[in-house]
Amino acid sequence: EFPHGTRYDNGRRTRHIARYDTDWSATGPLIEQLRLNVRAAAGGSWAARKDGDFEPGQEYHGETPLIAVCNLILALHAARKLPSRAV
């Protein structure tokens, strides 16, 4: 299960939405489950890719590893290549 859902704050029920762009505990399980590759890229940026789902060598970039992964996941979703259990 992913780190989002109902939480309680001082007895009040609240909805928590994970920050996938900044929280490794939220994004890490997705990286593992979807078998994503993340690497340091030129110029201090980061690149993420998923072999077999895009053109060979096609990567999505970001200022941090998590932002690169988020960009890739958005592209996978747009291409309808994201498993429904990962959303």
Side-chain angles (χ1 to χ4, degrees):
E1 185 166 338
F2 299 107
H4 52 77
T6 303
R7 294 199 179 171
Y8 293 89
D9 182 24
N10 292 329
R12 289 187 64 201
R13 184 176 161 178
T14 61
R15 173 102 172 122
H16 171 74
I17 299 174
R19 289 292 313 260
Y20 293 98
D21 61 329
T22 60
D23 185 359
W24 277 99
S25 69
T27 311
L30 288 174
I31 293 170
E32 185 176 333
Q33 175 189 354
L34 297 172
R35 298 185 180 273
L36 305 180
N37 299 304
V38 182
R39 68 172 186 84
S45 69
W46 290 85
R49 71 169 198 240
K50 181 167 183 3
D51 292 333
D53 281 317
F54 294 106
E55 296 294 318
Q58 186 173 359
E59 298 179 322
Y60 290 83
H61 294 262
E63 293 179 11
T64 69
L66 296 181
I67 291 174
V69 167
C70 286
N71 290 335
L72 171 59
I73 289 172
L74 290 172
L76 286 168
H77 178 71
R80 298 179 184 218
K81 295 183 178 182
L82 188 66
S84 60
R85 61 183 162 75
V87 193

XYZ file of all heavy atoms in Angstrom:
684
model
N 0.840 -1.181 0.000
C 0.000 0.000 0.000
C 0.882 1.241 0.000
O 1.927 1.267 0.614
C -0.920 -0.004 1.213
C -1.879 1.147 1.173
C -3.002 0.971 2.171
O -3.260 -0.172 2.579
O -3.583 1.975 2.532
N 0.429 2.265 -0.679
C 1.216 3.479 -0.812
C 0.861 4.479 0.290
O -0.227 4.421 0.859
C 1.014 4.092 -2.189
C 1.463 3.165 -3.270
C 0.562 2.513 -4.065
C 2.810 2.909 -3.448
C 0.982 1.639 -5.044
C 3.250 2.041 -4.418
C 2.330 1.399 -5.217
N 1.775 5.388 0.591
C 1.613 6.287 1.745
C 0.647 7.440 1.511
O 1.017 8.589 1.532
C 3.035 6.792 1.985
C 3.681 6.713 0.667
C 3.060 5.545 -0.041
N -0.586 7.119 1.219
C -1.617 8.142 1.170
C -2.895 7.528 1.719
O -3.027 6.323 1.804
C -1.832 8.686 -0.246
C -2.071 7.634 -1.274
N -3.265 6.983 -1.416
C -1.247 7.092 -2.197
C -3.192 6.108 -2.389
N -1.977 6.143 -2.875
N -3.797 8.325 2.108
C -5.044 7.803 2.656
C -5.537 8.639 3.817
O -5.141 9.779 3.987
N -6.389 8.063 4.624
C -6.992 8.766 5.746
C -6.052 8.759 6.943
O -5.469 7.742 7.275
C -8.327 8.109 6.133
O -9.174 8.113 4.991
C -8.996 8.851 7.263
N -5.908 9.913 7.550
C -5.123 10.039 8.780
C -5.925 10.844 9.787
O -6.898 11.487 9.451
C -3.791 10.747 8.488
C -2.905 9.908 7.597
C -1.501 10.351 7.677
N -0.712 9.487 6.803
C 0.526 9.703 6.498
N 1.142 10.747 6.984
N 1.174 8.890 5.718
N -5.454 10.805 11.007
C -6.132 11.553 12.060
C -5.179 12.557 12.675
O -4.046 12.252 12.987
C -6.670 10.587 13.118
C -7.781 9.731 12.565
C -7.499 8.517 11.948
C -9.092 10.172 12.609
C -8.517 7.750 11.407
C -10.104 9.408 12.074
C -9.815 8.204 11.471
O -10.819 7.456 10.928
N -5.646 13.797 12.805
C -4.863 14.883 13.374
C -5.676 15.481 14.514
O -6.721 16.085 14.275
C -4.581 15.931 12.290
C -3.729 17.077 12.795
O -2.988 16.880 13.774
O -3.803 18.164 12.202
N -5.204 15.281 15.750
C -5.922 15.755 16.941
C -7.364 15.259 16.952
O -8.284 16.005 17.255
C -5.885 17.289 17.031
C -4.501 17.796 17.316
O -3.711 17.133 17.982
N -4.190 18.973 16.806
N -7.551 14.007 16.558
C -8.880 13.421 16.575
C -9.727 13.711 15.356
O -10.802 13.160 15.201
N -9.242 14.603 14.496
C -9.989 14.928 13.280
C -9.499 14.073 12.129
O -8.310 13.903 11.931
C -9.809 16.406 12.902
C -10.518 17.342 13.857
C -10.462 18.751 13.373
N -11.196 18.869 12.110
C -11.003 19.838 11.247
N -10.100 20.763 11.472
N -11.703 19.897 10.153
N -10.420 13.579 11.367
C -10.087 12.774 10.200
C -9.647 13.704 9.056
O -10.340 14.656 8.727
C -11.310 11.970 9.792
C -11.075 11.030 8.679
C -12.329 10.234 8.447
N -12.270 9.651 7.128
C -13.171 8.876 6.628
N -14.248 8.603 7.337
N -13.042 8.380 5.437
N -8.478 13.435 8.498
C -7.973 14.252 7.396
C -7.514 13.348 6.263
O -7.248 12.162 6.462
C -6.788 15.134 7.843
O -5.728 14.292 8.280
C -7.181 16.089 8.943
N -7.415 13.891 5.096
C -6.933 13.148 3.926
C -5.498 13.558 3.666
O -5.200 14.737 3.528
C -7.797 13.473 2.710
C -7.298 12.895 1.430
C -8.101 11.662 1.061
N -7.722 11.255 -0.270
C -7.230 10.067 -0.553
N -7.074 9.192 0.388
N -6.906 9.752 -1.768
N -4.609 12.586 3.637
C -3.194 12.842 3.368
C -2.888 12.484 1.922
O -3.222 11.396 1.471
C -2.317 12.004 4.296
C -0.872 12.052 3.931
N -0.094 13.154 4.176
C -0.082 11.157 3.307
C 1.129 12.916 3.724
N 1.159 11.711 3.186
N -2.286 13.403 1.202
C -1.840 13.144 -0.165
C -0.325 13.197 -0.152
O 0.275 14.200 0.235
C -2.422 14.164 -1.155
C -3.946 14.079 -1.132
C -1.871 13.921 -2.549
C -4.644 15.126 -1.943
N 0.293 12.111 -0.561
C 1.757 12.013 -0.520
C 2.399 13.019 -1.465
O 1.858 13.348 -2.519
C 2.183 10.598 -0.901
N 3.585 13.496 -1.081
C 4.390 14.388 -1.919
C 5.414 13.539 -2.664
O 6.538 13.363 -2.219
C 5.090 15.432 -1.055
C 4.173 16.479 -0.464
C 3.586 17.408 -1.529
N 4.554 17.919 -2.464
C 5.118 19.128 -2.413
N 4.783 19.947 -1.459
N 5.994 19.497 -3.319
N 5.017 12.985 -3.786
C 5.889 12.101 -4.544
C 7.127 12.822 -5.068
O 8.141 12.195 -5.319
C 5.120 11.472 -5.707
C 4.051 10.523 -5.230
C 2.730 10.921 -5.135
C 4.380 9.230 -4.844
C 1.752 10.052 -4.688
C 3.407 8.351 -4.392
C 2.096 8.775 -4.322
O 1.147 7.905 -3.872
N 7.055 14.145 -5.202
C 8.198 14.907 -5.722
C 9.258 15.183 -4.662
O 10.380 15.571 -4.997
C 7.722 16.226 -6.336
C 7.018 17.124 -5.337
O 6.371 16.603 -4.396
O 7.098 18.352 -5.494
N 8.949 14.943 -3.377
C 9.919 15.237 -2.315
C 10.082 14.117 -1.290
O 11.006 14.164 -0.484
C 9.525 16.519 -1.542
O 8.235 16.336 -0.963
C 9.518 17.742 -2.444
N 9.215 13.131 -1.301
C 9.204 12.115 -0.248
C 9.611 10.747 -0.791
O 8.836 10.079 -1.478
C 7.805 12.054 0.363
C 7.698 11.112 1.546
O 8.702 10.465 1.903
O 6.597 11.037 2.117
N 10.821 10.312 -0.432
C 11.323 9.012 -0.900
C 10.440 7.878 -0.417
O 10.300 6.859 -1.093
C 12.763 8.785 -0.438
C 13.757 9.447 -1.331
C 14.374 10.643 -1.118
C 14.257 8.963 -2.584
N 15.222 10.930 -2.164
C 15.162 9.913 -3.073
C 14.008 7.816 -3.340
C 15.835 9.761 -4.277
C 14.677 7.662 -4.542
C 15.576 8.624 -5.005
N 9.826 8.010 0.759
C 8.987 6.924 1.268
C 7.724 6.758 0.427
O 7.116 5.696 0.424
C 8.628 7.143 2.740
O 7.747 8.233 2.893
N 7.342 7.791 -0.300
C 6.191 7.705 -1.199
C 6.604 7.196 -2.570
O 5.963 6.326 -3.147
C 5.525 9.075 -1.331
N 7.701 7.716 -3.093
C 8.113 7.420 -4.466
C 8.961 6.161 -4.566
O 8.896 5.450 -5.573
C 8.877 8.621 -5.052
O 8.115 9.800 -4.797
C 9.057 8.482 -6.554
N 9.739 5.862 -3.552
C 10.603 4.686 -3.576
C 9.871 3.395 -3.915
O 10.331 2.639 -4.776
N 8.724 3.119 -3.281
C 8.001 1.900 -3.630
C 7.560 1.855 -5.093
O 7.532 0.798 -5.709
C 6.792 1.913 -2.689
C 7.241 2.719 -1.521
C 8.136 3.786 -2.106
N 7.224 3.012 -5.662
C 6.843 3.049 -7.082
C 8.035 2.753 -7.977
O 7.904 2.050 -8.984
C 6.249 4.415 -7.447
C 4.863 4.703 -6.906
C 4.462 6.132 -7.228
C 3.856 3.723 -7.485
N 9.208 3.288 -7.618
C 10.424 3.017 -8.394
C 10.681 1.522 -8.424
O 10.963 0.948 -9.481
C 11.627 3.787 -7.814
C 11.437 5.295 -7.990
C 12.929 3.324 -8.462
C 12.440 6.141 -7.236
N 10.545 0.891 -7.274
C 10.782 -0.547 -7.185
C 9.700 -1.341 -7.907
O 9.988 -2.240 -8.697
C 10.856 -0.955 -5.721
C 11.227 -2.396 -5.513
C 11.393 -2.737 -4.051
O 11.729 -1.846 -3.247
O 11.174 -3.904 -3.715
N 8.434 -1.028 -7.642
C 7.318 -1.766 -8.225
C 7.314 -1.674 -9.750
O 7.075 -2.668 -10.438
C 5.991 -1.228 -7.682
C 4.768 -1.865 -8.329
C 3.490 -1.170 -7.926
O 3.473 -0.281 -7.088
N 2.397 -1.562 -8.529
N 7.578 -0.476 -10.288
C 7.535 -0.275 -11.735
C 8.874 -0.579 -12.410
O 8.982 -0.485 -13.624
C 7.111 1.172 -12.048
C 5.717 1.551 -11.572
C 5.479 3.038 -11.767
C 4.657 0.729 -12.302
N 9.867 -0.914 -11.588
C 11.214 -1.225 -12.088
C 11.773 -0.086 -12.955
O 12.174 -0.281 -14.101
C 11.215 -2.542 -12.853
C 10.818 -3.701 -11.981
C 10.938 -5.010 -12.712
N 10.552 -6.124 -11.878
C 11.369 -6.770 -11.061
N 12.615 -6.421 -10.955
N 10.928 -7.777 -10.342
N 11.788 1.109 -12.362
C 12.286 2.292 -13.057
C 13.785 2.426 -12.857
O 14.320 2.020 -11.823
C 11.578 3.546 -12.530
C 10.048 3.517 -12.583
C 9.486 4.811 -12.029
C 9.548 3.242 -13.987
N 14.438 3.009 -13.825
C 15.874 3.280 -13.750
C 16.077 4.770 -13.546
O 15.480 5.577 -14.270
C 16.568 2.845 -15.046
C 16.414 1.368 -15.295
O 16.779 0.567 -14.449
N 15.851 0.999 -16.431
N 16.919 5.130 -12.596
C 17.215 6.537 -12.307
C 18.724 6.702 -12.316
O 19.447 5.869 -11.772
C 16.656 6.955 -10.925
C 16.915 8.418 -10.653
C 15.168 6.647 -10.835
N 19.198 7.794 -12.944
C 20.641 8.040 -13.004
C 20.908 9.535 -13.008
O 20.043 10.334 -13.363
C 21.249 7.411 -14.249
C 20.807 8.064 -15.541
C 21.571 7.550 -16.747
N 21.228 8.304 -17.943
C 21.767 9.450 -18.303
N 22.692 10.028 -17.548
N 21.388 10.067 -19.404
N 22.128 9.879 -12.589
C 22.577 11.267 -12.683
C 22.806 11.573 -14.152
O 23.348 10.752 -14.894
C 23.850 11.468 -11.880
N 22.387 12.740 -14.597
C 22.532 13.153 -15.991
C 23.452 14.361 -16.078
O 23.853 14.933 -15.056
C 21.163 13.474 -16.589
N 23.763 14.752 -17.274
C 24.650 15.899 -17.500
C 24.059 17.182 -16.915
O 22.844 17.342 -16.855
C 24.892 16.070 -18.994
N 24.930 18.040 -16.487
C 24.507 19.349 -16.003
C 23.878 19.339 -14.627
O 23.224 20.299 -14.239
N 24.043 18.254 -13.884
C 23.505 18.206 -12.529
C 22.052 17.789 -12.444
O 21.474 17.795 -11.364
N 21.432 17.426 -13.568
C 20.045 16.977 -13.514
C 20.005 15.463 -13.322
O 21.041 14.808 -13.220
C 19.297 17.379 -14.795
O 19.778 16.642 -15.897
N 18.810 14.923 -13.276
C 18.594 13.490 -13.106
C 17.714 12.988 -14.230
O 16.902 13.740 -14.773
C 17.936 13.214 -11.753
C 18.877 13.469 -10.623
C 19.128 14.673 -10.016
C 19.734 12.512 -10.007
N 20.083 14.502 -9.047
C 20.466 13.189 -9.021
C 19.938 11.154 -10.177
C 21.393 12.555 -8.210
C 20.854 10.509 -9.377
C 21.576 11.214 -8.398
N 17.859 11.719 -14.576
C 17.068 11.111 -15.647
C 16.434 9.826 -15.139
O 17.025 9.101 -14.340
C 17.956 10.810 -16.848
N 15.216 9.557 -15.603
C 14.504 8.330 -15.254
C 13.961 7.709 -16.535
O 13.556 8.418 -17.456
C 13.361 8.632 -14.289
N 13.962 6.378 -16.572
C 13.411 5.677 -17.734
C 12.859 4.328 -17.293
O 13.179 3.822 -16.228
C 14.456 5.509 -18.819
C 15.521 4.506 -18.480
C 16.368 4.186 -19.700
N 17.048 2.939 -19.423
C 18.357 2.804 -19.391
N 19.124 3.813 -19.662
N 18.889 1.649 -19.111
N 12.026 3.775 -18.158
C 11.492 2.430 -17.957
C 11.715 1.683 -19.259
O 11.111 1.997 -20.275
C 10.011 2.468 -17.602
C 9.437 1.074 -17.352
C 8.091 1.171 -16.698
C 7.437 -0.132 -16.339
N 8.102 -1.370 -16.548
N 12.590 0.726 -19.220
C 12.916 -0.029 -20.420
C 11.686 -0.737 -20.981
O 10.868 -1.265 -20.237
C 14.007 -1.055 -20.123
C 15.338 -0.397 -19.808
O 15.574 0.733 -20.295
O 16.139 -0.990 -19.071
N 11.570 -0.690 -22.297
C 10.504 -1.404 -22.974
C 9.215 -0.637 -23.149
O 8.332 -1.073 -23.875
N 9.045 0.513 -22.510
C 7.791 1.254 -22.625
C 7.870 2.467 -23.540
O 6.853 3.025 -23.897
C 7.302 1.696 -21.244
C 6.632 0.547 -20.497
O 5.854 -0.184 -21.136
O 6.905 0.380 -19.313
N 9.067 2.882 -23.910
C 9.241 4.028 -24.784
C 10.331 3.692 -25.788
O 10.892 2.605 -25.780
C 9.634 5.285 -23.987
C 8.552 5.766 -23.061
C 8.652 5.578 -21.696
C 7.427 6.408 -23.556
C 7.657 6.022 -20.836
C 6.428 6.847 -22.696
C 6.545 6.657 -21.336
N 10.644 4.634 -26.638
C 11.744 4.448 -27.581
C 13.023 4.167 -26.796
O 13.213 4.709 -25.709
C 11.934 5.710 -28.431
C 10.745 6.037 -29.317
C 10.525 4.985 -30.382
O 11.506 4.509 -30.977
O 9.354 4.617 -30.602
N 13.921 3.339 -27.346
C 15.194 3.076 -26.649
C 15.914 4.385 -26.312
O 16.036 5.265 -27.156
C 15.979 2.255 -27.660
C 14.940 1.632 -28.515
C 13.805 2.638 -28.597
N 16.330 4.490 -25.083
C 17.070 5.674 -24.643
C 16.212 6.862 -24.255
O 16.733 7.878 -23.823
N 14.879 6.770 -24.415
C 14.016 7.899 -24.052
C 13.970 8.028 -22.539
O 13.649 7.068 -21.833
C 12.609 7.724 -24.610
C 11.733 8.933 -24.372
C 10.390 8.810 -25.074
O 10.110 7.837 -25.750
N 9.566 9.814 -24.909
N 14.313 9.213 -22.048
C 14.373 9.467 -20.612
C 13.578 10.721 -20.278
O 13.345 11.576 -21.126
C 15.816 9.675 -20.168
C 16.706 8.486 -20.394
C 18.133 8.725 -19.977
O 18.648 9.848 -20.189
O 18.745 7.805 -19.455
N 13.199 10.814 -19.034
C 12.515 11.995 -18.517
C 13.392 12.590 -17.433
O 13.906 11.872 -16.583
C 11.114 11.608 -18.012
C 10.253 11.254 -19.186
C 10.303 9.988 -19.751
C 9.461 12.213 -19.795
C 9.565 9.676 -20.881
C 8.722 11.914 -20.924
C 8.775 10.646 -21.461
O 8.053 10.352 -22.584
N 13.558 13.906 -17.480
C 14.534 14.584 -16.630
C 13.864 15.433 -15.563
O 12.705 15.818 -15.685
C 15.459 15.456 -17.495
C 16.310 14.642 -18.411
N 17.604 14.318 -18.113
C 16.030 14.047 -19.600
C 18.108 13.580 -19.085
N 17.164 13.393 -20.003
N 14.641 15.736 -14.518
C 14.196 16.613 -13.452
C 15.384 17.104 -12.650
O 16.486 16.572 -12.761
N 15.134 18.117 -11.831
C 16.200 18.692 -10.998
C 16.629 17.743 -9.887
O 17.726 17.875 -9.358
C 15.730 20.017 -10.387
C 15.524 21.111 -11.405
C 15.027 22.397 -10.766
O 15.038 22.504 -9.518
O 14.635 23.298 -11.513
N 15.761 16.819 -9.515
C 16.070 15.825 -8.482
C 15.670 14.448 -9.014
O 14.885 14.354 -9.976
C 15.282 16.099 -7.182
O 13.893 15.837 -7.426
C 15.479 17.521 -6.678
N 16.167 13.375 -8.391
C 15.735 12.044 -8.841
C 14.222 11.858 -8.762
O 13.615 11.278 -9.658
C 16.446 11.094 -7.879
C 17.562 11.859 -7.282
C 17.155 13.292 -7.314
N 13.604 12.381 -7.711
C 12.164 12.192 -7.545
C 11.361 12.950 -8.583
O 10.337 12.453 -9.068
C 11.729 12.601 -6.132
C 12.311 11.767 -5.001
C 11.792 12.250 -3.657
C 12.017 10.298 -5.195
N 11.805 14.135 -8.954
C 11.094 14.895 -9.988
C 11.235 14.202 -11.337
O 10.281 14.123 -12.111
C 11.566 16.358 -10.026
C 11.105 17.072 -8.747
C 11.034 17.075 -11.264
C 11.627 18.474 -8.578
N 12.421 13.643 -11.620
C 12.603 12.886 -12.863
C 11.645 11.693 -12.887
O 11.003 11.412 -13.909
C 14.053 12.426 -12.996
N 11.521 10.989 -11.773
C 10.612 9.841 -11.685
C 9.163 10.298 -11.848
O 8.383 9.666 -12.569
C 10.813 9.074 -10.360
C 9.682 8.080 -10.121
C 12.156 8.368 -10.363
N 8.791 11.397 -11.223
C 7.422 11.910 -11.366
C 7.124 12.243 -12.826
O 6.039 11.929 -13.329
C 7.213 13.148 -10.489
S 7.072 12.777 -8.727
N 8.079 12.867 -13.518
C 7.885 13.183 -14.936
C 7.709 11.911 -15.757
O 6.867 11.860 -16.666
C 9.055 14.010 -15.467
C 9.062 15.412 -14.897
O 8.023 15.935 -14.500
N 10.223 16.020 -14.823
N 8.480 10.880 -15.450
C 8.342 9.607 -16.145
C 6.981 8.973 -15.861
O 6.301 8.496 -16.779
C 9.463 8.651 -15.730
C 9.337 7.207 -16.216
C 9.272 7.128 -17.731
C 10.493 6.378 -15.684
N 6.553 8.974 -14.612
C 5.267 8.370 -14.263
C 4.121 9.099 -14.960
O 3.180 8.475 -15.455
C 5.083 8.320 -12.729
C 6.035 7.266 -12.155
C 3.640 8.027 -12.346
C 6.107 7.239 -10.642
N 4.204 10.419 -15.046
C 3.179 11.183 -15.773
C 3.166 10.792 -17.251
O 2.102 10.650 -17.856
C 3.405 12.680 -15.607
C 3.120 13.229 -14.216
C 3.570 14.680 -14.119
C 1.647 13.091 -13.877
N 4.345 10.602 -17.837
C 4.428 10.190 -19.242
C 3.882 8.775 -19.426
O 3.180 8.504 -20.410
C 5.879 10.278 -19.726
N 4.186 7.878 -18.497
C 3.641 6.522 -18.567
C 2.117 6.554 -18.497
O 1.425 5.850 -19.237
C 4.196 5.657 -17.433
C 5.640 5.195 -17.567
C 6.132 4.618 -16.243
C 5.772 4.171 -18.689
N 1.595 7.384 -17.612
C 0.141 7.510 -17.482
C -0.473 8.059 -18.775
O -1.473 7.527 -19.265
C -0.211 8.407 -16.295
C -1.675 8.625 -16.131
N -2.530 7.640 -15.696
C -2.440 9.716 -16.363
C -3.761 8.113 -15.663
N -3.733 9.361 -16.062
N 0.129 9.100 -19.329
C -0.387 9.709 -20.557
C -0.361 8.716 -21.720
O -1.241 8.741 -22.583
C 0.412 10.959 -20.909
N 0.630 7.851 -21.736
C 0.757 6.843 -22.786
C -0.054 5.580 -22.474
O -0.008 4.614 -23.229
C 2.226 6.477 -22.994
N -0.787 5.617 -21.358
C -1.592 4.471 -20.909
C -0.759 3.224 -20.708
O -1.158 2.116 -21.018
C -2.744 4.208 -21.859
C -3.690 5.358 -21.917
C -4.812 5.121 -22.857
N -5.618 6.335 -22.903
C -6.928 6.340 -22.979
N -7.591 5.217 -23.006
N -7.571 7.466 -23.027
N 0.451 3.425 -20.157
C 1.362 2.321 -19.891
C 1.642 2.176 -18.396
O 2.567 1.484 -18.007
C 2.668 2.529 -20.652
C 2.463 2.467 -22.152
C 3.754 2.602 -22.897
C 3.498 2.473 -24.383
N 4.735 2.542 -25.135
N 0.834 2.819 -17.584
C 0.988 2.747 -16.137
C -0.028 1.741 -15.598
O -1.228 1.888 -15.833
C 0.757 4.120 -15.509
C 1.055 4.256 -14.044
C 2.544 4.081 -13.760
C 0.604 5.623 -13.548
N 0.412 0.718 -14.892
C -0.544 -0.248 -14.343
C -1.535 0.434 -13.395
O -1.150 1.306 -12.613
C 0.330 -1.240 -13.573
C 1.726 -0.974 -13.971
C 1.789 0.410 -14.516
N -2.781 0.047 -13.448
C -3.797 0.700 -12.598
C -3.508 0.513 -11.115
O -3.855 1.362 -10.314
C -5.179 0.157 -12.926
O -5.228 -1.234 -12.696
N -2.833 -0.548 -10.719
C -2.530 -0.757 -9.310
C -1.469 0.203 -8.795
O -1.253 0.316 -7.610
C -2.114 -2.193 -9.048
C -0.876 -2.614 -9.799
C -0.565 -4.092 -9.553
N 0.323 -4.639 -10.544
C 1.613 -4.413 -10.628
N 2.200 -3.609 -9.771
N 2.348 -4.957 -11.568
N -0.772 0.910 -9.688
C 0.288 1.833 -9.271
C -0.244 3.230 -9.040
O 0.474 4.093 -8.576
C 1.391 1.873 -10.322
N -1.491 3.487 -9.366
C -2.033 4.831 -9.245
C -2.625 5.039 -7.878
O -3.199 4.183 -7.311
C -3.108 5.108 -10.306
C -3.412 6.583 -10.369
C -2.694 4.603 -11.668
